Each structure stands twice: as structure tokens, then as C-alpha cells.
Amino acid sequence: MVDIGTLGGNSSYALMINDSGEVAGWSYLADNVTTHAFTWTSSGGMVDLGTLGGCCSQGQAINSAGEVVGDAVSADGLQSPFFWSPSGGIVSLGVFTGDSRNYGFGVNDHNQVTGQVYFGAVVQAFLWSPTTPLIPLGHLPGGLHSVGTAINNHGSIVGTASLPDGAFTGMIWNRHISMQNVGRFSGGAYTAAEGINDSNQVVGWGFTNSIETTSSAFYWSQSVGRHRLSTFGGDQTFAWGINQQGNIAGHSNLSGDAAVHATLWNTYTSTPTDLGTFPGGVNSYARGLNNLGQVVGYADVP
């Protein structure tokens, strides 16, 4: 486990890594209030990606070309999804008034982006590219809201969407099947699909009780359906990313312990591997992985 540093603040969060070892995430600046998106490489260190003219930005995902998506605040205080490239810098995906919770969460190697934007009081998953205006993806039958969290190189998008009873369930969308419900855990009101590879293998997590104190990570595919991932014996487990080999990254708490450790599953049926913590630290969280098996996330330090 390697500490990649911060942009001057006390905390930083690495969320995604590509096959070249480029990392995207966000960090606090020296005031420990302002946040900026970053990229990081072992040779160049951490690079501040700036903002859209306002105070803050956060990087969420990176593709094979080193292009980053996330969210940023403009000079007028509005938050929007952004797309950043080494040649073009940071670009807003549009101006959205009202609710400020507008994010870019996923990007593929064709520069297609997904995330969430608010249209009034309704949040919608979207598809955007540099050559195509932002397109809202709609919702499940009887539902109202949707969020896109990741997109693969075939344009399939996963995320979460509301049901008629107001609960949220995992979903997958593409142009052929529109939006499909991948299921939610009984007893919980929120389940989300968080990662997808080019084989349409999906991972995510969901609450398993109504008071949101227990959660389970899952794998889903059309042939298998939804399958719970194995745990360390604790009652909270999350899966965030899956690579082309089917390796899965996430985190899980330990049996009888509140400590959370970064977790790697070699396959959806395998027992989890504990990735440990920094020396003297207690908790660690894995968020993204590449096809070389390199994992990124964040962990506390003493």
C-alpha cells in the first residue's frame, strides 16, 4: 500500500486507476475546506485539475487516455459535471439550476460520460460525449429518479433508479434494452450498481435492513442474476469496481469489529482478500482497480 499524498490538506481520496497507472480522485487543499480534483502518476505525482471558476472540484473516474470526469463549482456557485482532458482542460457538461447535486461519475474509452443531473426536483442518469449533447436516460416504469454511476466501452450504463414505492434498486441501461432493474435486497430501501466491465458483469451494494446498518456487496450478470459476495464476517460490505478479468474491489468490515478493510475478490464466487491498512492505521477502502490488478482507494494514517 502506497501513500500518494494530498494537495496540501489532511485528506485525499483516490477513486479510479487506468491501465497506465494514472489515478483520479480529489483532495483537500491546505485550508482543509476547499477540494480540487487531481490526477496522479508515480513519475509526476499529484496534479491539480482546477475548477470551473468556483471553489471546488472532485474527480470521480478516469479512462485509458487519462481523461477525467467529476463535478465542479462555477464562479456563480452552480455545480455541474465536468470532463477534463490533458489537451482541453476542464469543461462543464452544462449549467443546471436549482439542486446542486450534479455529478459526473463514469467515463469510458470513447469519452462517453454518465452521472446525475437534476431537472427541477427530479434527478436523472445521463449520457454525454464531446460530440453529443447531454441526454437524460429516464427512469424505471412507475419510478421517478435515476443515477448513472459507471459506463463500459459498449455504452452500457449502471447505477440506481427509484421504484413506485420510492425505494431505489440497481439498474443497467443501454440503447437495446433501455433501463432494466437488476434487483434490490429485501428489507433495504437502497441498492446501487456501481461498476461494470465490457462483458456486462456488474457489481454494487445495497442495504439489507430498513435502518441502513447492514449492507451487502453483490455481483450481477444476465446469466447468473444477483449473487452476494463473501465477507470477512462483518455486516457491512461494499463493491465498487470490476475489471475485465472479473476481479472486484471494495471494502468490508471485520467480524466482530468496526474496522473496515479494503477488499479484493478474484471472482464473484471467491473468498475475499484483505488488502490491509497503512502501518498503524485502522481502516482502508478500495474504490477502483485496473486490468493489471492495481487497486486504489483511501486509508487512515496514524
Side-chain angles (χ1 to χ4, degrees):
M1 192 173 288
V2 176
D3 186 343
I4 67 172
T6 76
L7 292 173
N10 291 341
S11 301
S12 62
Y13 300 86
L15 302 182
M16 192 71 72
I17 183 171
N18 66 18
D19 288 350
S20 299
E22 297 173 292
V23 178
W26 57 276
S27 172
Y28 284 98
L29 304 190
D31 62 7
N32 286 312
V33 175
T34 308
T35 62
H36 279 197
F38 70 77
T39 58
W40 176 93
T41 61
S42 59
S43 59
M46 192 171 286
V47 176
D48 188 335
L49 302 187
T51 73
L52 292 171
C55 67
C56 303
S57 62
Q58 296 183 344
Q60 302 285 349
I62 189 169
N63 65 13
S64 62
E67 291 150 335
V68 176
V69 298
D71 56 275
V73 177
S74 61
D76 56 9
L78 298 176
Q79 180 173 300
S80 69
F82 75 75
F83 176 82
W84 179 93
S85 66
S87 60
I90 189 169
V91 176
S92 171
L93 273 57
V95 176
F96 304 92
T97 59
D99 198 298
S100 65
R101 292 171 292 175
N102 303 302
Y103 303 93
F105 284 133
V107 61
N108 65 17
D109 292 340
H110 306 297
N111 297 337
Q112 294 175 307
V113 178
T114 193
Q116 70 173 53
V117 294
Y118 271 85
F119 298 91
V122 176
V123 62
Q124 292 281 285
F126 68 81
L127 176 65
W128 176 95
S129 77
T131 58
T132 306
L134 186 144
I135 302 169
L137 303 186
H139 48 77
L140 291 171
L144 188 62
H145 307 287
S146 62
V147 175
T149 57
I151 181 170
N152 69 14
N153 288 321
H154 302 300
S156 292
I157 290 170
V158 294
T160 186
S162 64
L163 298 170
D165 64 0
F168 279 78
T169 183
M171 69 84 170
I172 181 171
W173 176 96
N174 63 48
R175 295 184 186 277
H176 305 292
I177 63 171
S178 188
M179 192 174 292
Q180 178 182 342
N181 185 349
V182 304
R184 84 179 209 248
F185 288 109
S186 177
Y190 185 88
T191 299
E194 300 284 0
I196 183 171
N197 63 17
D198 288 348
S199 299
N200 279 354
Q201 295 174 308
V202 177
V203 296
W205 64 275
F207 289 116
T208 55
N209 64 5
S210 60
I211 58 175
E212 302 184 351
T213 57
T214 61
S215 65
S216 179
F218 71 85
Y219 163 97
W220 179 93
S221 68
Q222 290 282 3
S223 60
V224 173
R226 193 176 73 242
H227 177 88
R228 287 196 188 203
L229 302 184
S230 298
T231 74
F232 296 133
D235 57 5
Q236 294 190 18
T237 304
F238 299 78
W240 296 99
I242 183 169
N243 65 14
Q244 308 296 15
Q245 287 76 42
N247 308 140
I248 300 166
H251 55 84
S252 180
N253 65 337
L254 308 184
S255 177
D257 195 339
V260 177
H261 282 195
T263 306
L264 182 68
W265 294 265
N266 286 331
T267 70
Y268 71 93
T269 59
S270 66
T271 57
T273 298
D274 187 338
L275 302 187
T277 65
F278 285 125
V282 176
N283 301 300
S284 61
Y285 307 81
R287 289 296 301 264
L289 76 169
N290 64 16
N291 294 313
L292 305 179
Q294 297 169 314
V295 178
V296 294
Y298 43 94
D300 54 25
V301 294

